[in-house]
Amino acid sequence: MGQQSGFSEEYYDSSDGLKLYARIYGDPKATRTIVCLPGLTRNSRDFHDLAVQLTDRDSSCRVITLDSRGRGLSGWDDNKQNYNLVVEAGDVLTACAAFGVTKASFIGTSRGGLILHLLIAMRPELIESVVLNDVGPELGIEGLRHIQSYLTSPRPAPKDWEEATAYVRDNHGAEFTALSADDFRDMAAAIYREVDGMIRPDVDPAIARQFADLDLSKPPSDLWPQFDKFAGLPVMVVKGENSKLLTEGIVARMAEKHAGLTVVIAEGQGHAPVLHLEGIGAAIGDFVSGG
């Protein structure tokens, strides 16, 4: 365990022996827990500012942010077929067992939200409430194509952090008109990591290759039957105003199927919204505390 500014660093072993990484914010013995699950190629750093906000406003709460296998400081899997929702959902259950989580609120960004659709079927008693960050049981094909495009576009490694930030702005600037220059620098620092003097995406390249091989000529399978299992639980969806992955039509259907759905629009943001900006963090804090 290592102590960093505002959080402790923890490592634990997956069921198949891979070393995985987590951050714990707030009092490790707090009575309430929020678990944050990142997107396809992202990691726990995406949630840093949100986790600080949530623990600063509520000292009875701890926030656990996870690096999925192959991302961030978690180990890369030699068996690339293990980069799938079922295995990654199992890793979340292993993390909960390792950190003594028996019931928690969960925040899932993009792929993290898809994992929550599996967890509600695998361990429903574990979930107290759910925040789905720009993801639902169905995915917009145009949004998937955009992700596939920027993940597979050949580009040399950035020579410095200024160039890394420029790459991020090129990929996301059109959708994220609300972000400042500092916000894009923060996003770059979450997406990239410097290792041996080289700045690289902080993810196993096999994950991007796996996504590149998806056949997007036909709609992907949906998770509507799993979404139905959230009935009776508090559910919030954060939709990026400019997102093409979570469309207005999908959100409308989610609201029809879950009468108590809370919808928050992240204005001037795309996929996936930065959660600590423009009052979104406060709305999440109110929601998970029942306020």
Side-chain angles (χ1 to χ4, degrees):
M1 182 184 75
Q3 184 70 37
Q4 298 292 328
S5 176
F7 61 90
S8 64
E9 296 184 298
E10 304 284 348
Y11 287 90
Y12 60 101
D13 291 331
S14 69
S15 60
D16 55 355
L18 197 65
K19 189 169 290 295
L20 303 177
Y21 172 86
R23 292 178 170 188
I24 299 181
Y25 295 77
D27 184 353
K29 297 180 181 179
T31 57
R32 295 177 50 252
T33 301
I34 301 169
V35 180
C36 299
L37 311 180
L40 175 68
T41 61
R42 308 292 281 268
N43 57 72
S44 60
R45 297 196 297 279
D46 274 338
F47 297 105
H48 173 75
D49 290 298
L50 175 67
V52 171
Q53 282 185 6
L54 293 174
T55 52
D56 280 352
R57 65 174 275 154
D58 186 354
S59 61
S60 69
C61 168
R62 65 172 172 167
V63 176
I64 301 174
T65 66
L66 303 180
D67 284 357
S68 301
R69 62 176 62 208
R71 291 86 160 175
L73 296 180
S74 286
W76 290 11
D77 200 319
D78 291 334
N79 180 2
K80 307 308 179 184
Q81 298 305 311
N82 283 338
Y83 295 133
N84 66 71
L85 294 177
V86 174
V87 171
E88 291 166 23
D91 290 341
V92 176
L93 295 179
T94 299
C96 289
F99 303 127
V101 178
T102 56
K103 201 170 192 66
S105 296
F106 286 83
I107 302 172
T109 293
S110 195
R111 187 179 181 91
L114 298 181
I115 289 172
L116 291 178
H117 282 74
L118 300 192
L119 287 183
I120 192 62
M122 297 166 69
R123 197 72 61 81
E125 70 278 6
L126 183 64
I127 301 178
E128 184 172 18
S129 62
V130 171
V131 177
L132 299 172
N133 183 20
D134 210 61
V135 68
E138 182 180 336
L139 303 177
I141 195 71
E142 189 177 349
L144 288 171
R145 287 178 180 142
H146 177 64
I147 295 171
Q148 191 177 64
S149 174
Y150 70 71
L151 284 181
T152 58
S153 297
R155 211 165 197 180
K159 63 180 183 295
D160 53 31
W161 283 106
E162 182 177 352
E163 188 165 78
T165 301
Y167 283 2
V168 171
R169 189 182 292 107
D170 288 347
N171 288 333
H172 302 291
E175 287 189 342
F176 285 84
T177 56
L179 268 60
S180 67
D182 286 343
D183 294 328
F184 280 113
R185 280 191 287 270
D186 288 345
M187 189 182 289
I191 293 173
Y192 293 92
R193 182 159 60 95
E194 186 170 345
V195 179
D196 298 328
M198 304 292 289
I199 299 172
R200 294 288 186 269
D202 203 7
V203 60
D204 186 338
I207 294 171
R209 289 196 296 268
Q210 188 183 68
F211 196 87
D213 292 338
L214 288 180
D215 180 6
L216 298 182
S217 64
K218 52 188 178 182
S221 300
D222 65 61
L223 295 170
W224 287 109
Q226 290 81 1
F227 180 77
D228 287 342
K229 296 183 183 297
F230 289 126
L233 286 180
V235 178
M236 169 188 280
V237 60
V238 179
K239 177 187 163 25
E241 179 184 26
N242 302 321
S243 172
K244 297 178 178 63
L245 191 76
L246 183 64
T247 66
E248 292 179 0
I250 295 170
V251 174
R253 186 177 176 192
M254 292 168 71
E256 288 176 0
K257 295 174 75 68
H258 192 293
L261 186 73
T262 299
V263 180
V264 174
I265 303 300
E267 296 181 0
Q269 296 204 57
H271 181 78
V274 180
L275 294 178
H276 64 274
L277 298 181
E278 300 300 327
I280 300 172
I284 291 173
D286 288 341
F287 174 78
V288 297
S289 65

